Amino acid sequence: MSVLRLIFQELRHRWVGALLGAMVVGIAVALVVVALALARAGEKETRLIQRDVGLNVLILSDKTDLAGYWARGYSDHSIPADYMDRVHDQAVANRLVPLLKQRVEVEGVSVLLVGIEGERFKGGQVMKPVFGKVLESGQAVVGGTIARLLDVAVGDSLSVLGHEARVQSCLTESGTVEDGTIYVSMVDAQVWLGMPGRLNEIQALECHCGEEVEDPLGLLREELAPLLPGTIVLRRQDAADARRDQRQLAEGTLALFSPLFVLLAGALIAALGALNVRDRREELGVYGALGHSPLRVATMLLGRSVVIGCTGALTGCALGEGLAQRYGPDLFTRAVTELHTGWPLWLGALLGAPLFALIASLPATLWCLRQDPVRLLRHG
Amino acid sequence: MADSDSMLAASALSHGYLPDRGQGPALVDVNLDLARGEFVALCGPSGSGKSTLLLALGGMLTPTSGRVRFDGQDLYALSGSERRRIRRARLGFAFQSMHLVPYLSAQANVALGDPGAGADRRSLSRLGELGLGERASHLPEQLSAGERQRVALARALAAEPEVLLADEPTGNLDPESAGLVCKQLTAYHDSGGTLLLVTHDAELARRAPRLLQLAEGRLVAAAPSKL
């Protein structure tokens, strides 16, 4: 009789123990799946919320009158636009967005004109853009208050410094400086303001969210100063610290609970495996007495664990996905798509859970293989 | 030293269980020799060491001292896998407690003892010879004690071993079933098999040309059967 058939006959015979084992694996897998799905959704949600908070690093010309900057919202001094090509060689700031800002009058209304490009990433990484706006030449995004004052809507034309721009979108009023802003492409802003090849601000995110850094601003300046001479780096402390704390909380929670679930499940599976071997001592003694090889006996015991692990993994993935779908949207309203676990996690669970169950049942199996058949038979 | 016709022999065989608990030795300096094709019955009161002797002769219980020779080979000087191969193909063992696998049918239990191809077909035929053809698909829990005993004997005979060690093979049987078992054992012996039988059954012991008596772990008599 094949080992596989023996495994399934035994599972059918001791179905209560098998069911308990599969349930334990299933619950552990479900908890890990839920934890991962919620962590992923939480990270996305945090990112979206933090995007609204804005970037937390400012890079300006070191000639900037900072008091004037905070009063007006832009620097009177510019820096070379090719500084954006140098940010590949550093690891302290990410998602760098170049800006060229100037206060101008548009049809009698004072407007903060902002030339903008899409974000760049440290080390030339390719990431999903979150910040910045990619506008084509001749397009404009108009802040809510300006749109209301100028009475413009999407598709209308707008004359900015004697140049025509078509309104691509109008932002809703948000109670921020954005309400009084008109965004145009960086190239248009440079030409219209007569500042070709120049910027007057770079905004970025610092990259120390997951680690403790004693002096993050000092580190930023130390890393960026050689690359961007003639600049000063500022850090929006509250936003940066809140972002770091939020990331650490999310990662810390996941790092604590996931191994805890896995260890708990491992201990339970090992205990169930030991009980199974204990229940089967007589039978295992018979196999030994009849001269069946230890490899065959081990395959029977470990194969049983693998079958239970596979069953538990499938059940756990389905249960975890169901729980994440059912309760996740109550917690995360903006990152619902991240609650889908997806096939890589299912595949990981299908490979990992049986392996885990197998490792958990190894001690009991090895104990059994070391026993004399007679000793096992006497316990029957 | 056993002669060349010796199939299974024990020399100065001793075994002690748990001396720290004050239990006396189960076997004391046992010497015996079974010639190829011989049929020997082993008798003795309960606790005299009969089952222990059988287990030691069957390569399942390493004795405290002494040697067991199987077809000229020192059984306990062999490696574990070599000893296992002998148990698998050349040595049949029918346990007093039967030790059937609870989730396998009678036929599958018998097939466990047969390492060759076609074990399923042969096991069915073997069960038929023991009057259990109709019960082949039943689980052990669905069989009577006597039927289970016969399944255990069928399993011991499944590999057509050169030596059969049977511990009380008729202990739980009604007279009719006992007759079937006796017939099987006789047929096995007649086909050239070497048979050592532990029994309290006088009728069965009488069929053995040689009778051994064990008392308090010692072989006290070796005589032709006169029971």
Side-chain angles (χ1 to χ4, degrees):
Chain A
M1 182 176 280
S2 73
V3 172
L4 200 62
R5 207 168 137 204
L6 286 173
I7 289 171
F8 281 105
Q9 298 254 35
E10 195 275 337
L11 285 171
R12 200 173 64 175
H13 182 72
R14 296 192 179 89
W15 65 270
V16 176
L19 187 67
L20 272 176
M23 275 173 60
V24 166
V25 177
I27 289 170
V29 169
L31 288 174
V32 171
V33 165
V34 168
L36 287 175
L38 294 186
R40 206 165 55 179
E43 192 189 349
K44 176 73 183 292
E45 188 104 349
T46 303
R47 209 161 55 224
L48 291 172
I49 292 168
Q50 286 173 343
R51 183 184 66 181
D52 296 344
V53 171
L55 297 157
N56 55 33
V57 173
L58 287 177
I59 302 168
L60 305 168
S61 163
D62 61 2
K63 297 190 187 75
T64 300
D65 164 16
L66 288 177
Y69 173 83
W70 294 119
R72 289 191 303 271
Y74 65 94
S75 169
D76 281 335
H77 295 273
S78 64
I79 53 178
D82 64 8
Y83 273 19
M84 291 302 294
D85 298 330
R86 303 184 184 186
V87 296
H88 288 225
D89 301 328
Q90 52 80 40
V92 292
N94 199 12
R95 297 186 178 275
L96 296 105
V97 180
L99 301 164
L100 179 57
K101 297 174 170 181
Q102 194 84 265
R103 187 152 292 277
V104 298
E105 282 215 355
V106 177
E107 298 175 17
V109 175
S110 174
V111 165
L112 184 65
L113 182 71
V114 178
I116 191 168
E117 276 183 1
E119 62 202 275
R120 309 261 185 105
F121 306 99
K122 66 174 179 180
Q125 289 176 343
V126 178
M127 298 168 82
K128 191 177 172 187
V130 175
F131 301 98
K133 292 177 174 63
V134 180
L135 292 171
E136 289 176 18
S137 177
Q139 289 185 332
V141 172
V142 182
T145 305
I146 301 298
R148 182 164 49 78
L149 291 174
L150 298 179
D151 192 23
V152 293
V154 173
D156 290 350
S157 275
L158 200 60
S159 176
V160 182
L161 300 174
H163 300 273
E164 286 295 308
R166 185 166 295 277
V167 177
Q168 189 218 36
S169 66
C170 294
L171 304 174
T172 51
E173 288 190 81
S174 58
T176 65
V177 70
E178 204 165 53
D179 291 346
T181 302
I182 291 179
Y183 292 99
V184 295
S185 74
M186 176 61 74
V187 175
D188 284 350
Q190 286 171 334
V191 172
W192 298 350
L193 295 170
M195 299 173 70
R198 307 297 290 181
L199 313 168
N200 61 2
E201 183 171 325
I202 297 171
Q203 293 188 2
L205 273 182
E206 72 164 334
C207 299
H208 302 112
C209 297
E211 56 191 287
E212 285 295 340
V213 176
E214 200 171 315
D215 178 15
L217 180 58
L219 187 63
L220 278 167
R221 287 177 173 170
E222 187 183 315
E223 285 272 320
L224 293 175
L227 295 172
L228 310 174
T231 61
I232 182 167
V233 179
L234 305 173
R235 181 174 182 262
R236 289 176 174 149
Q237 307 284 9
D238 290 349
D241 291 347
R243 178 183 165 82
R244 183 201 58 209
D245 293 347
Q246 173 66 28
R247 285 284 286 270
Q248 285 179 349
L249 178 68
E251 286 168 11
T253 306
L254 185 67
L256 174 70
F257 283 107
S258 292
L260 206 63
F261 296 150
V262 172
L263 283 176
L264 191 65
L268 285 169
I269 295 164
L272 286 170
L275 284 175
N276 179 255
V277 169
R278 186 184 158 83
D279 284 350
R280 298 175 69 179
R281 278 179 296 186
E282 178 183 3
E283 166 205 337
L284 298 171
V286 169
Y287 287 114
L290 293 175
H292 289 254
S293 72
L295 181 65
R296 185 177 164 90
V297 175
T299 307
M300 277 170 54
L301 290 172
L302 298 177
R304 178 186 193 275
S305 299
V306 169
V307 171
I308 286 175
C310 286
T311 311
L314 279 175
T315 314
C317 281
L319 181 66
E321 173 98 25
L323 286 172
Q325 294 295 319
R326 170 68 185 79
Y327 296 106
D330 295 344
L331 297 171
F332 305 109
T333 52
R334 300 171 67 181
V336 175
T337 52
E338 299 296 318
L339 293 167
H340 286 288
T341 49
W343 68 266
L345 188 61
W346 283 63
L347 185 65
L350 265 174
L351 294 174
L355 183 68
F356 192 74
L358 185 145
I359 291 169
S361 58
L362 259 183
T365 303
L366 293 176
W367 175 86
C368 165
L369 294 180
R370 291 181 58 171
Q371 303 303 308
D372 266 345
V374 167
R375 191 178 164 145
L376 292 169
L377 287 171
R378 285 211 171 109
H379 284 291
Chain B
M1 174 73 72
D3 62 37
S4 61
D5 203 32
S6 170
M7 189 67 215
L8 186 62
S11 56
L13 197 67
S14 294
H15 189 72
Y17 285 125
L18 303 173
D20 53 328
R21 290 193 192 171
Q23 294 182 5
L27 295 174
V28 181
D29 199 26
V30 172
N31 293 285
L32 70 82
D33 193 351
L34 269 72
R36 198 179 302 274
E38 195 179 8
F39 177 6
V40 176
L42 178 64
C43 298
S46 296
S48 59
K50 304 185 296 294
S51 296
T52 304
L53 177 59
L54 229 55
L55 289 168
L57 292 172
M60 279 182 271
L61 182 68
T62 309
T64 311
S65 62
R67 285 201 296 189
V68 174
R69 288 190 165 274
F70 180 91
D71 198 14
Q73 298 175 90
D74 186 340
L75 207 51
Y76 291 99
L78 297 174
S79 69
S81 61
E82 287 171 322
R83 207 159 50 240
R84 203 170 48 246
R85 271 197 288 277
I86 288 176
R87 286 205 302 270
R88 187 92 182 100
R90 302 182 65 189
L91 207 157
F93 204 110
F95 298 97
Q96 184 178 11
S97 305
M98 295 160 286
H99 296 308
L100 300 180
V101 177
Y103 52 84
L104 296 181
S105 68
Q107 183 186 0
N109 262 290
V110 175
L112 281 183
D114 186 345
D120 285 346
R121 180 179 42 78
R122 280 195 302 277
S123 58
L124 195 58
S125 150
R126 182 73 66 184
L127 283 171
E129 290 165 7
L130 282 159
L132 290 171
E134 301 293 313
R135 311 285 279 166
S137 61
H138 287 64
L139 292 174
E141 66 184 13
Q142 297 168 318
L143 301 173
S144 69
E147 287 170 329
R148 288 201 294 272
Q149 186 98 57
R150 279 181 279 162
V151 173
L153 179 64
R155 184 178 63 190
L157 290 167
E160 298 180 349
E162 293 160 62
V163 174
L164 175 64
L165 305 174
D167 197 352
E168 297 282 7
T170 57
N172 296 302
L173 302 184
D174 56 67
E176 187 186 348
S177 301
L180 282 169
V181 167
C182 287
K183 192 175 159 196
Q184 275 293 303
L185 292 173
T186 306
Y188 169 75
H189 175 234
D190 290 344
S191 68
T194 306
L195 177 58
L196 177 60
L197 195 67
V198 167
T199 185
H200 285 110
D201 182 342
E203 175 59 31
L204 186 56
R206 199 173 291 122
R207 293 172 184 241
R210 184 152 70 110
L211 177 70
L212 300 176
Q213 187 83 28
L214 205 61
E216 294 182 348
R218 294 169 194 276
L219 216 47
V220 293
S225 173
K226 291 177 182 170
L227 285 171

